[in-house]
């Protein structure tokens, strides 16, 4: 029957994948010796693992790891963000392999708030009318390619600093897939800047090592 009090206990595991060299060494004593691996690349994998908590996904991979995958596998991955980890000077793109939870219809707890904050006014409606109509048609389509095309447009708008367009895409996206943790994390980050891209913005700076 299991351990009393643990029936509703869930375990979540985060994995960070990176590619690079490392130095292997033995650490321990005469009683117990463990292998240890040291390098900036090991640190990067560890930081990616830590970032899975922020993005609420079980796996993140670096751009270096992603480029080593076959074209077929790359086509199944999603861009998550362009980030700079604490202690680093160069931004990198990070990726995720989507699962069933990415397209979940189970809304996150603050879904209504996210929908409200990504809504737009009449002036924005007039300025982006054609884009909104095109994006909505892709959302309503049963074609997965149309959905991926819209997601790519969402990420491109974010990285190209057109955060009004990104806000519109994000609004339509979470109304269709209210449980998509990656887009939720993006909205929460943009909302900290009131959806206005700072002039000196290059990437999302993660403060956790």
């Amino acid at each position: 029957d299991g351990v009393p009090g643990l029936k509703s206990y869930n375990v979540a595991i985060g994995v960070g994948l990176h590619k690079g060299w490392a130095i292997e060494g033995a650490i321990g004593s005469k009683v117990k010796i463990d292998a240890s691996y040291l390098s900036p690349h090991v640190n990067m994998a560890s930081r990616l693992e830590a970032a899975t908590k922020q993005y609420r996904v079980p796996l993140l991979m670096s751009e270096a790891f992603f480029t080593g995958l076959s074209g077929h596998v790359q086509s199944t991955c999603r861009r998550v963000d362009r980030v700079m980890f604490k202690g680093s000077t160069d931004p990198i793109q990070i990726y995720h392999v989507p699962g069933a939870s990415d397209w979940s219809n189970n809304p996150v707890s603050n879904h209504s708030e996210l929908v409200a904050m990504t809504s737009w006014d009449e002036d924005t409606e007039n300025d982006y009318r054609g884009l909104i109509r095109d994006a909505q048609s892709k959302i309503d389509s049963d074609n997965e390619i149309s959905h991926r095309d819209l997601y790519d447009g969402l990420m491109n708008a974010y990285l190209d600093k057109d955060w009004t367009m990104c806000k519109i895409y994000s609004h339509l996206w979470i109304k269709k897939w209210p449980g998509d943790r990656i887009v939720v994390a993006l909205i929460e980050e943009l909302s900290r800047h009131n959806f206005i891209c700072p002039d000196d913005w290059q990437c999302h700076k993660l403060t956790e090592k």
Side-chain angles (χ1 to χ4, degrees), residues 136-150:
Q136 188 63 62
S137 69
K138 291 178 180 178
I139 282 282
D140 295 337
S141 171
D142 293 328
N143 190 330
E144 183 180 340
I145 295 177
S146 295
H147 299 159
R148 294 183 68 89
D149 184 56
L150 180 60

Side-chain angles (χ1 to χ4, degrees), residues 26-45:
I27 297 178
S29 65
K30 293 180 180 180
V31 178
K32 185 176 184 295
I33 297 178
D34 291 323
S36 181
Y37 299 88
L38 303 173
S39 86
H41 304 292
V42 174
N43 295 340
M44 177 60 71

Side-chain angles (χ1 to χ4, degrees), residues 111-121 124-125 131-132 135-136 139 150 154 163-178 180 183-184 186-187 190 195:
H111 180 254
S112 298
E113 179 185 348
L114 296 173
V115 170
M117 71 170 61
T118 53
S119 299
W120 52 86
D121 58 23
T124 302
E125 176 78 24
L131 180 145
I132 295 170
Q136 188 63 62
I139 282 282
L150 180 60
L154 184 158
W163 287 6
T164 298
M165 184 184 297
C166 183
K167 175 182 176 181
I168 292 170
Y169 282 151
S170 298
H171 176 88
L172 298 174
W173 190 272
I174 60 166
K175 288 186 71 175
K176 176 72 173 183
W177 293 287
D180 191 329
V183 175
V184 167
L186 176 60
I187 293 172
L190 298 188
F195 296 94

Side-chain angles (χ1 to χ4, degrees), residues 3 18 23 26 69 71 77 125 128 130 138 145 151 166 172 183:
V3 179
H18 182 58
I23 298 173
L69 300 174
C77 298
E125 176 78 24
Y128 289 87
K138 291 178 180 178
I145 295 177
Y151 182 79
C166 183
L172 298 174
V183 175

Side-chain angles (χ1 to χ4, degrees), residues 15-20 40-41 43-49 59-69 74 77-78 80-81 83 85 91-97:
V15 178
L17 297 177
H18 182 58
K19 182 177 72 173
H41 304 292
N43 295 340
M44 177 60 71
S46 177
R47 289 168 180 172
L48 286 165
E49 183 275 327
L59 184 147
L60 288 172
M61 65 186 80
S62 68
E63 193 167 2
F65 188 92
F66 172 81
T67 56
L69 300 174
Q74 286 184 5
C77 298
R78 299 173 71 189
V80 174
D81 208 340
V83 302
F85 290 100
I92 65 167
Q93 297 216 60
I94 56 177
Y95 297 81
H96 166 59
V97 179

Side-chain angles (χ1 to χ4, degrees), residues 67-88:
T67 56
L69 300 174
S70 68
H72 171 71
V73 176
Q74 286 184 5
S75 69
T76 67
C77 298
R78 299 173 71 189
R79 283 182 296 170
V80 174
D81 208 340
R82 184 169 63 208
V83 302
M84 185 185 298
F85 290 100
K86 186 175 182 179
S88 300

